[in-house]
Amino acid sequence: MAAAGKFNRSNPAVKRILQEVKEMQSNPSPDFMALPLEEDIFEWQFAILGPRDSEFEGGIYHGRIQLPSDYPFKPPSFMLLTPSGRFEIQKKICLSISNYHPEHWQPSWSVRTALVALIAFMPTNPGGALGSLDYKKEDRRALAIKSRETPPKFGSPERQSVIDEIHEQMLSKAPPVPQLLTIGSEEETNKTAPDTSGEHAVKAAEGVNTSGSSSGSANDTDLPKPDSESEVAENIARAQADVIPRDSGPRVVTAPQNPVVTIQKPKHDRLLTLAAFGLTLAIMALVIKKFFKINGLAGYIEGKF
């Protein structure tokens, strides 16, 4: 980033953010794109592709992430800018990865982790959560088609420039939106097998029941989410080469040292025993000689010997 020099690199939050920017650029994802503003790296613009095999497939959904000053020890806030029928626009949304639930956030998570989780939350049951919507599938599919036409208008010219850049790149790799004609057959299939509509939610949030009533689903959606997000964070951590060797290195080094130590211990014991025995004999000789000297027998002993 050209503006990286404007910020205090010794600040832990700035250092972490710049590290994530570098990681994003070196390992881009086909499912999302995110960039911080040049003037404020704590504010990110992003776009995600709608999850496959859902009414959001093919859609491009823009949003804004605001990182706190003590990131990554506190969670960011999220705001969607593109109408989707799942989240309200230009309003902070309530997710277990957002600032509404700091008790669930883990410092090992990152912007990448949060965006992967956000995509997984798209097809889940909103359950009346703050900032959530529950549109019909055909309405969401129509919004997915419309989301590809033009990027949303938001904020300053700098923000808009970043939004336009992200939209252009995401549009080049976005799959086409499935035709609306398939919605009727999908709904009929869901009526005969209601549990299949929640398969993506189960995969995304580990056991969230999307076919149940909305009155009890609000708490259900909050509890399993940290588990699924932890798995995402672990997968990202495994991909970082500087983390795994630090843990595995000492284990490899210490394993062959144990037999060496056990073999050398008897040798040291024998040497110490012999040294102690020799020292004991020397002390005894000095004591005997002094005894004879005190009793006037030293000359007699020396004459004899």
Side-chain angles (χ1 to χ4, degrees), residues 236-254:
I236 295 174
R238 292 191 192 100
Q240 297 176 353
D242 59 336
V243 175
I244 297 177
R246 293 176 185 173
D247 294 334
S248 59
R251 296 173 187 169
V252 176
V253 173
T254 55

Side-chain angles (χ1 to χ4, degrees), residues 38-50:
E38 290 285 343
E39 298 300 324
D40 182 10
I41 61 174
F42 287 86
E43 180 179 341
W44 291 52
Q45 294 293 327
F46 72 88
I48 59 174
L49 292 181

